[in-house]
Amino acid sequence: MTARNRIFATTLLTGMLAGCAVPASETVVAPIAPSTLGLSAEPAPVVAADWWRGFGDPQLDRLVHDAVAGNPTLDAALARVTQAQAVLSTNRADNGPEATFDAQEQYARLSGRYTIPPPYAGTTQFVGTVAANLSWNLDLFGRQKAAIAGARASVRAAALDVAAARLALSGAVVQTYIDLERAEAQAAIAQRTIATRQNTLRLVNVRIRNKLGSKLDAQAATTLLAQAQQALLRAQAAQVLAKNALAALAGRGVDYPATIGATALKLDAVLPLLKTVPADLLARRADIAAAQARIDAAAAGRQVARRAFYPNLNLAAMAGFQAVGLGNLVSFGAGTVGAGPAIHLPIFDNGRLKAGLAGATAALDLATADYNDRVIGAVREAADAVARIGALEADRARQREVVRGYAETGRLNAIRVSSGLDNRLDLVDNDVRLLAAEQADADLAANSAQQRVQLALALGGGFDFQEVTR
């Protein structure tokens, strides 16, 4: 048997022995099967990538653009993509040949009782080395290949995280903008009410001067006016807070809210609606796709840990010069060259490799558990949005009837007061209820729009897996 065949046979034998030495380490968490979640067979409606444009407000488009361009959270997600790509490049580099150049010159006293022959033994000389080195890990058992696969999956997960962060950010901007519209609507209701109640107070004062009313009527009218003014102050404060929140989402300072004008939202904009949660929901979500990619990365990491038990075969070569004496370094006789294989086989490491495999298996279980949690959360988000949209639409219909009822009662009461059939004090309750009903109607309109936004987000918000991962 030749020397080459002996090396190959030894490597094969040691590999087989090492394979038998890999301890059992099984996962305990299994991914949830979508078929067990009771999803409907019908596909979900398509959500446009710029779905927020359905609200028809150009200012909202600008705010979403500013947030995507300047939000620190999104910047951090992009930085994690770059970091994951760097790890992938490092693993790819480890899988190929590596060449280095080393040069060293030392002034040293050479031992007189060692391997240095006379006349250099026991003298002080320059000892120099100049060498070019080549090494190549052959990765016979695929450890480095698994590391590359894991790094590639991590890059994919980081890119999907960016898509999920961008979607969440645009959703937060839209929902905050709806809060701003809500505050504007509440302020408009309060201003109309203030104008009406100021006019009522003037009429009451006229009646008092004509001996047709009392101070009780004036006090009732004043109380109603103060209530409407309080509602206006609260709505204006909510406007300020909403604009500040939009500035924070855009990563801007205190001057940014001044650039935000009045909203022009069409709250009843057409966004995807459905009655049941579709089966293809999970394929539409960037966060779920990222969680799946992390399962792939963790599974590859587990393979890396398993294959660490196998022998590692490297090829190494060097060529250069070694000499004692500065003048001898570049002489022909100082040349040296060498090449050959190197085998590393773990035999006893005090349990380090077993611990690494157990940790990698636990990491896979954690990634799977996170995936399961996100799947359940996604299904619940979609189901909640579907249920809330239906409930809010029914609630809004009833609330509009309530507003119309109080408004008509108020109109009739005003006629009775102007005719002298009633005094203002007897009608305070209806006026208070009318303002509350109008405010509740504005809240329901905003809440309904926000739930349609939530449903669009739950359906993936126009996420395109191929576009992100290509």
Side-chain angles (χ1 to χ4, degrees), residues 281-408:
L281 167 69
L282 305 184
R284 294 170 174 264
R285 299 266 304 219
D287 57 337
I288 292 178
Q292 179 61 65
R294 288 194 165 85
I295 290 178
D296 297 340
R302 185 164 177 264
Q303 289 300 318
V304 171
R306 288 183 63 84
R307 290 164 186 173
F309 288 86
Y310 300 146
N312 192 21
L313 179 62
N314 294 329
L315 293 180
M318 63 85 63
F321 299 90
Q322 294 176 335
V324 177
L326 188 59
N328 296 328
L329 184 60
V330 294
S331 64
F332 181 77
T336 180
V337 63
I343 298 177
H344 170 78
L345 175 64
I347 296 176
F348 176 74
D349 63 355
N350 207 30
R352 183 178 291 105
L353 292 180
K354 289 183 179 180
L357 178 57
T361 302
L364 178 55
D365 282 334
L366 286 172
T368 305
D370 178 67
Y371 169 83
N372 291 343
D373 183 62
R374 290 180 183 274
V375 166
I376 295 297
V379 172
R380 178 180 177 180
E381 287 173 11
D384 284 353
V386 169
R388 286 170 180 163
I389 288 172
L392 283 169
E393 290 302 319
D395 199 353
R396 285 184 66 193
R398 301 289 81 77
Q399 187 62 36
R400 284 192 290 267
E401 293 178 3
V402 171
V403 171
R404 285 194 295 269
Y406 281 129
E408 179 62 15

Side-chain angles (χ1 to χ4, degrees), residues 423-439:
N423 62 60
R424 197 68 203 172
L425 182 62
D426 296 332
L427 309 177
V428 169
D429 184 65
N430 186 80
D431 283 354
V432 170
R433 291 177 182 273
L434 176 59
L435 176 58
E438 290 179 331
Q439 290 175 326

Side-chain angles (χ1 to χ4, degrees), residues 97-190:
E98 179 181 354
T100 61
F101 175 80
D102 297 304
Q104 180 178 346
E105 188 74 31
Q106 287 186 335
Y107 189 65
R109 184 185 184 283
L110 305 178
S111 172
R113 297 291 187 271
Y114 196 49
T115 60
I116 305 299
Y120 298 109
T123 65
T124 302
Q125 301 287 337
F126 281 99
V127 179
T129 301
V130 177
N133 305 288
L134 176 67
S135 63
W136 190 357
N137 184 343
L138 297 183
D139 195 30
L140 293 180
F141 298 98
R143 181 183 182 188
Q144 199 58 37
K145 182 179 178 181
I148 292 173
R152 188 179 293 113
S154 294
V155 171
R156 188 166 66 252
L160 290 164
D161 282 341
V162 172
R166 186 178 289 114
L167 174 62
L169 182 58
S170 61
V173 170
V174 175
Q175 291 186 319
T176 303
Y177 196 69
I178 291 174
D179 280 335
L180 176 59
E181 195 282 338
R182 181 207 309 269
E184 290 178 351
Q186 298 281 15
I189 292 170

Side-chain angles (χ1 to χ4, degrees), residues 56-60 62-63 177 180-181 184-185 239 243 257-265:
D57 190 336
Q59 180 172 241
L60 177 58
R62 174 178 68 85
L63 293 174
Y177 196 69
L180 176 59
E181 195 282 338
E184 290 178 351
Q239 286 178 268
K243 289 183 177 181
T259 68
I260 303 175
T263 63
L265 286 176

